[in-house]
Amino acid sequence: MSSAKDMSLPTLLEAGQPFDCSKNNGTITSPRAWVRLPFDADTVEPGTVEVQGENNGLTTMQVHAVLDDGTILSSYFSEQAVIDSWRPKGRYGLAVPGTEKPGTRNRIEQVYVTIDNPRTLNSVSVIELASRQKWEDLKLPLSVMFAVLCGMAIMPLIYNLFFYGALRYSFMLWHSLMIGATVAYTFSSSGLIFIAFPETSLTTKMLFNHWTLAAGFAAGGFFLVRFVERGKIAPWLRVVILIGAMLPLLVTALVMQIDGGHSIHARAYYHASFLPAFCMVLYTMGHALRRGSNAIWFQIAGWTPIIIFGLDRVARGMDLYVGWAVLDYGLYFALVLETIILALGVANRILRLRQQNESILRKQVELTLLADTDGLTMMSNRRAFEREYEHNQHEHRYSHLAIIDIDFFKRVNDLYGHEIGDEVLRVVGKELDSTYHFAARIGGEEFTLLMRNDNRHDRRKYPANELTEICQALIKAVRERVPEIQEPVTFSVGVAEIARRATLRSVMATADRRLYDAKNNGRNQVVWIDISQATPSQRPGKAAI
């Protein structure tokens, strides 16, 4: 029942107002709520007895013991006194006056509890009597247990944040927010918050509980749509999931006012806001499974226990039934288990994404190689050659460019067939590729070399000597590997120096001009300067092979 705030127990008893013990016992219409508890000394363990209940949103309270002769023993508790009497899992324990003395304890018949301005109906409906010594003994081990649960949940958080900095997968960030909210909720609702921050008000604790749970739930929705493989959740369903995940946050903002002025039914509205998202998550699990998702199995394993315990919490939060407080412990364990399971899921998802990325990179490399490779000789083609020249503009690794042409190659094709001609090209390409220089086939029977020259003291002489040795090796390789050809296959070469700012077009033009000089002057030679204007008796800048 409820009354005016100045109503005293003697006045209440004299008035003879009845206590409603029906299903509507949570109806509170006045500032002070009254709860009556029959006291039977034989049903409670020996020693001091205390009144226990949820400390969400409590303020000042009173506990009265009525003896068999009508004597009333009363204790008054400020909000801070209620805080100081906290018990694990968000409960309080206020001593029933007189129970510390065995003689008086046996004479108590009724216990009355008053709560001024209760913030939730649950504060009234779950009050019970319990042994003080038992709960004092449980306080340390239960607090250690909750601290260990928080520590276990923090480990995946550190792991996520570390790898998010390197990998930048958004689902890792959302999972980190989920873990952070889970740890904050467990830290607050279990009562550990009063160890770290003794001055925390009960209203602040209650609001913190509700906001952290709603925030973690919202982060879970964003995590779900980003964690499951692309295409395994329909676009319309992704939108619905996000709306459902944000609904508890919106309801919390509307009904859980910071100044504590919310309606006493706000807690019921808050818990009801989780139901649509629960339904959508269950539907999404089946939906993603039908589409062949592998990642959704981690949600099924991690979220199914939470949904089961969460539905119980929602039903009790909506005051549909009182239930068993021990189920709250199941929810805490389910939340921590979920962080560990999803941490494994995140690791698995990262591994799969890495494998996908490596596969994509391999395909890109293969496509690049195909685009840069000559199909017949399997050496670099003109595209790769031009890109290498562009790199040389900055790196200056090559000093000369040479164009190598097979002499009378058309005659080889005409006499021995194109298959033999192709084999000659393959042998030449393989031999050039084995040199220290960058080789490429630029078309037909023409090849190019970007020549490295580390000998700075003999820059002019070095290319001709090196190319002469290369051409001799080419002639020998063709003779040995293509024995069908009876006469020697020779090569003409034009060489141009690569100036620092020279364009490929200008250098190629110079080398090509000197290649024609080599062909016009008898072939089978290397030309490294312009000799077109030289007299027949004086032809410097060429070397016979």
Side-chain angles (χ1 to χ4, degrees), residues 26 83 267:
I83 293 172
R267 188 169 180 267

Side-chain angles (χ1 to χ4, degrees), residues 505-524:
R505 183 176 181 180
S506 64
V507 177
M508 284 285 289
T510 300
D512 196 55
R513 185 170 63 251
R514 292 170 183 174
L515 172 64
Y516 276 98
D517 285 343
K519 287 187 172 293
N520 292 333
N521 284 276
R523 293 182 170 80
N524 193 26

Side-chain angles (χ1 to χ4, degrees), residues 103-119:
T104 306
R105 185 181 191 269
N106 293 329
R107 296 176 55 198
I108 299 175
E109 293 184 342
Q110 300 286 340
V111 174
Y112 291 85
V113 182
T114 66
I115 306 173
D116 292 331
N117 300 313
R119 299 290 187 267

